[in-house]
Amino acid sequence: MWPAAGILFIVVSPHIANEIHANPHMSMQRPPLLPRFFKPIAGGANMFDMREHDWKPWRAMFSKAFSAEHVVSLIPDTVDETMVYSETLKKFAEQEKMFQLDLITLRFTIDVIGKTILYVDNPAVYFSPQGQQLTTRI
């Protein structure tokens, strides 16, 4: 069950999720499982598993990047990359053979991040030494 081994509470009710989100005591606490889950990916503390007083300064720094206006502006590039990903999957499916989804999905993820965050339109980024290091790390 790696990486999600341990006790995990999942809320599927929109009403209950809204109640939890509205309660600052509940919504600001991070499950103790998160640091163990994110450590292999992030290498240490990060915004996903930090306590409120640790992540608040970072939230202020990154809040503009998550504004509704900015996220909406990313949709066209995200859709373009998703179409490329979809076509890639269709080509593999037409061959009617088993294939590894991990590397294809990882490359798609790197392309989306490259295009939306780094403003790089380079589908071969994962073949560069830096891209190889990133894919190995992930």
Side-chain angles (χ1 to χ4, degrees):
M1 292 247 333
W2 183 92
I7 298 172
L8 186 62
F9 181 71
I10 299 172
V11 176
V12 295
S13 164
H15 175 72
I16 299 299
N18 192 44
E19 291 293 319
I20 291 170
H21 182 71
N23 181 329
H25 177 69
M26 292 179 74
S27 66
M28 297 301 171
Q29 290 190 18
R30 303 290 193 251
L33 173 68
L34 286 182
R36 192 173 74 208
F37 173 81
F38 280 109
K39 184 167 181 147
I41 299 168
N46 59 75
M47 288 180 60
F48 295 109
D49 61 22
M50 288 179 176
R51 297 194 184 280
E52 179 184 8
H53 70 277
D54 294 328
W55 66 255
K56 258 193 166 176
W58 292 104
R59 181 177 183 220
M61 186 182 303
F62 289 113
S63 65
K64 289 181 183 176
F66 294 100
S67 71
E69 182 180 347
H70 180 68
V71 171
V72 167
S73 76
L74 300 176
I75 291 173
D77 286 337
T78 304
V79 168
D80 289 346
E81 292 301 327
T82 304
M83 295 301 294
V84 171
Y85 179 64
S86 174
E87 289 301 316
T88 302
L89 293 178
K90 285 179 189 174
K91 287 177 187 174
F92 277 107
E94 288 168 357
Q95 294 175 4
E96 297 183 4
K97 294 184 205 173
M98 295 286 286
F99 61 93
Q100 293 290 326
L101 195 56
D102 289 354
L103 187 57
I104 298 164
T105 304
L106 179 59
R107 290 177 176 177
F108 162 67
T109 303
I110 291 170
D111 285 348
V112 170
I113 291 169
K115 208 166 197 184
T116 59
I117 297 174
L118 304 174
Y119 306 108
V120 174
D121 189 10
N122 181 5
V125 72
Y126 38 80
F127 293 116
S128 71
Q130 296 84 2
Q132 285 296 330
Q133 289 174 359
L134 179 61
T135 56
T136 302
R137 177 74 177 188
I138 294 174

